[in-house]
Amino acid sequence: QVQLVESGGGLVQPGGSLRLSCAASGRSFSSYGMGWFRQAPGREREFVTAISGSGGNTIYAASVKGRFTISRDNAKNTVYLQMNSLKPEDTAVYYCATARFLWLRRDGDSYDNWGQGTQVTVSS
Protein backbone atom coordinates (compact mmCIF):
# COMPACT_ATOMS: atom_id res chain seq x y z
CA GLN A 1 0.00 0.00 0.00
CA VAL A 2 1.31 3.43 -0.97
CA GLN A 3 0.54 6.52 1.04
CA LEU A 4 0.70 9.93 -0.61
CA VAL A 5 0.87 13.34 1.04
CA GLU A 6 0.54 16.53 -0.98
CA SER A 7 1.86 19.90 0.13
CA GLY A 8 2.68 23.33 -1.26
CA GLY A 9 -0.76 24.71 -1.96
CA GLY A 10 -1.82 28.21 -1.04
CA LEU A 11 -3.10 31.56 -2.21
CA VAL A 12 -1.36 33.18 -5.15
CA GLN A 13 -2.11 36.12 -7.41
CA PRO A 14 -2.87 35.63 -11.11
CA GLY A 15 0.34 35.25 -13.03
CA GLY A 16 2.13 33.85 -10.01
CA SER A 17 3.75 30.47 -9.39
CA LEU A 18 3.50 27.61 -6.94
CA ARG A 19 5.24 24.28 -6.62
CA LEU A 20 3.31 21.34 -5.26
CA SER A 21 4.96 18.26 -3.79
CA CYS A 22 3.65 14.75 -3.35
CA ALA A 23 5.63 12.53 -1.01
CA ALA A 24 5.15 8.78 -1.27
CA SER A 25 5.78 6.00 1.21
CA GLY A 26 5.58 2.30 0.65
CA ARG A 27 6.71 0.12 -2.24
CA SER A 28 9.40 1.09 -4.75
CA PHE A 29 8.59 4.59 -5.93
CA SER A 30 10.36 4.38 -9.27
CA SER A 31 8.32 1.36 -10.35
CA TYR A 32 5.12 3.28 -11.01
CA GLY A 33 3.92 6.38 -12.76
CA MET A 34 2.33 9.29 -10.95
CA GLY A 35 -0.47 11.65 -11.85
CA TRP A 36 -1.86 14.98 -10.73
CA PHE A 37 -5.56 15.74 -10.86
CA ARG A 38 -7.61 18.68 -9.65
CA GLN A 39 -11.18 19.35 -8.63
CA ALA A 40 -12.81 22.75 -8.44
CA PRO A 41 -16.02 23.39 -6.47
CA GLY A 42 -19.04 22.11 -8.35
CA ARG A 43 -16.94 20.51 -11.05
CA GLU A 44 -15.75 17.00 -11.77
CA ARG A 45 -12.22 15.91 -11.07
CA GLU A 46 -9.99 16.53 -14.07
CA PHE A 47 -6.66 15.25 -15.22
CA VAL A 48 -3.72 17.66 -15.06
CA THR A 49 -0.53 15.76 -15.84
CA ALA A 50 1.28 12.46 -15.34
CA ILE A 51 4.82 11.14 -15.38
CA SER A 52 6.29 7.68 -15.88
CA GLY A 53 8.25 5.85 -13.21
CA SER A 54 11.59 6.77 -14.73
CA GLY A 55 10.49 10.33 -15.38
CA GLY A 56 11.19 9.96 -19.09
CA ASN A 57 7.61 10.29 -20.27
CA THR A 58 5.07 12.97 -19.40
CA ILE A 59 1.61 13.97 -20.58
CA TYR A 60 -0.38 17.15 -19.91
CA ALA A 61 -3.89 18.44 -20.18
CA ALA A 62 -4.22 21.04 -22.91
CA SER A 63 -5.32 23.64 -20.37
CA VAL A 64 -1.99 23.52 -18.50
CA LYS A 65 0.52 22.59 -21.21
CA GLY A 66 3.28 25.15 -21.39
CA ARG A 67 2.50 26.51 -17.92
CA PHE A 68 2.80 23.47 -15.65
CA THR A 69 5.70 21.04 -15.38
CA ILE A 70 5.68 17.67 -13.66
CA SER A 71 8.90 16.12 -12.40
CA ARG A 72 10.02 13.53 -9.91
CA ASP A 73 12.95 12.73 -7.65
CA ASN A 74 12.98 8.99 -7.11
CA ALA A 75 15.72 9.27 -4.50
CA LYS A 76 13.33 11.38 -2.41
CA ASN A 77 10.16 9.45 -3.30
CA THR A 78 8.60 12.72 -4.37
CA VAL A 79 6.80 14.05 -7.43
CA TYR A 80 6.48 17.77 -8.09
CA LEU A 81 4.13 20.02 -9.97
CA GLN A 82 5.60 23.39 -10.91
CA MET A 83 2.77 25.76 -11.80
CA ASN A 84 3.58 29.03 -13.55
CA SER A 85 1.42 31.77 -15.04
CA LEU A 86 -1.43 30.74 -12.80
CA LYS A 87 -4.96 31.78 -13.69
CA PRO A 88 -8.11 32.03 -11.54
CA GLU A 89 -9.47 28.98 -13.36
CA ASP A 90 -6.59 26.94 -11.92
CA THR A 91 -8.21 27.28 -8.49
CA ALA A 92 -8.95 23.78 -7.21
CA VAL A 93 -7.91 21.07 -4.79
CA TYR A 94 -4.96 19.26 -6.34
CA TYR A 95 -4.48 15.53 -5.81
CA CYS A 96 -1.69 13.15 -6.65
CA ALA A 97 -2.17 9.45 -7.27
CA THR A 98 -0.25 6.39 -8.41
CA ALA A 99 -0.73 5.01 -11.90
CA ARG A 100 -2.21 1.54 -12.13
CA PHE A 101 -0.84 0.83 -15.59
CA LEU A 102 2.50 1.15 -17.30
CA TRP A 103 1.08 3.30 -20.09
CA LEU A 104 0.21 6.82 -18.88
CA ARG A 105 -3.50 7.57 -19.06
CA ARG A 106 -5.75 10.58 -18.43
CA ASP A 107 -8.74 8.96 -16.71
CA GLY A 108 -9.06 8.84 -12.95
CA ASP A 109 -9.93 5.14 -12.96
CA SER A 110 -6.37 4.41 -14.07
CA TYR A 111 -5.01 5.78 -10.79
CA ASP A 112 -5.27 4.79 -7.15
CA ASN A 113 -3.76 5.52 -3.71
CA TRP A 114 -5.04 9.10 -3.83
CA GLY A 115 -3.61 11.70 -1.49
CA GLN A 116 -5.72 14.01 0.67
CA GLY A 117 -5.27 16.97 -1.66
CA THR A 118 -3.89 20.47 -1.30
CA GLN A 119 -5.84 23.66 -2.00
CA VAL A 120 -4.63 26.08 -4.65
CA THR A 121 -6.39 29.43 -4.88
CA VAL A 122 -5.54 31.95 -7.58
CA SER A 123 -7.03 35.30 -6.80
CA SER A 124 -6.12 38.96 -6.56
Side-chain angles (χ1 to χ4, degrees), residues 36 38 46-50 58-68 106:
W36 284 98
R38 66 186 182 186
E46 65 171 342
F47 170 79
V48 177
T49 180
T58 58
I59 56 174
Y60 292 91
S63 59
V64 306
K65 195 169 186 178
R67 299 188 298 122
F68 290 11
R106 301 171 185 267

Side-chain angles (χ1 to χ4, degrees), residues 59-81:
I59 56 174
Y60 292 91
S63 59
V64 306
K65 195 169 186 178
R67 299 188 298 122
F68 290 11
T69 302
I70 189 171
S71 62
R72 65 190 297 158
D73 185 339
N74 287 341
K76 296 183 178 180
N77 283 13
T78 302
V79 63
Y80 304 98
L81 179 62

Side-chain angles (χ1 to χ4, degrees), residues 65-112:
K65 195 169 186 178
R67 299 188 298 122
F68 290 11
T69 302
I70 189 171
S71 62
R72 65 190 297 158
D73 185 339
N74 287 341
K76 296 183 178 180
N77 283 13
T78 302
V79 63
Y80 304 98
L81 179 62
Q82 178 67 44
M83 305 185 294
N84 299 329
S85 302
L86 282 161
K87 305 175 181 180
E89 51 263 44
D90 294 318
T91 296
V93 177
Y94 284 71
Y95 301 89
C96 61
T98 59
R100 295 175 58 201
F101 307 111
L102 181 62
W103 198 259
L104 296 178
R105 301 185 183 188
R106 301 171 185 267
D107 62 292
D109 289 341
S110 295
Y111 295 81
D112 54 17

Side-chain angles (χ1 to χ4, degrees), residues 7-29:
S7 61
L11 173 64
V12 63
Q13 293 186 343
S17 299
L18 277 177
R19 188 177 81 156
L20 306 184
S21 300
C22 172
S25 62
R27 60 185 175 92
S28 179
F29 183 67

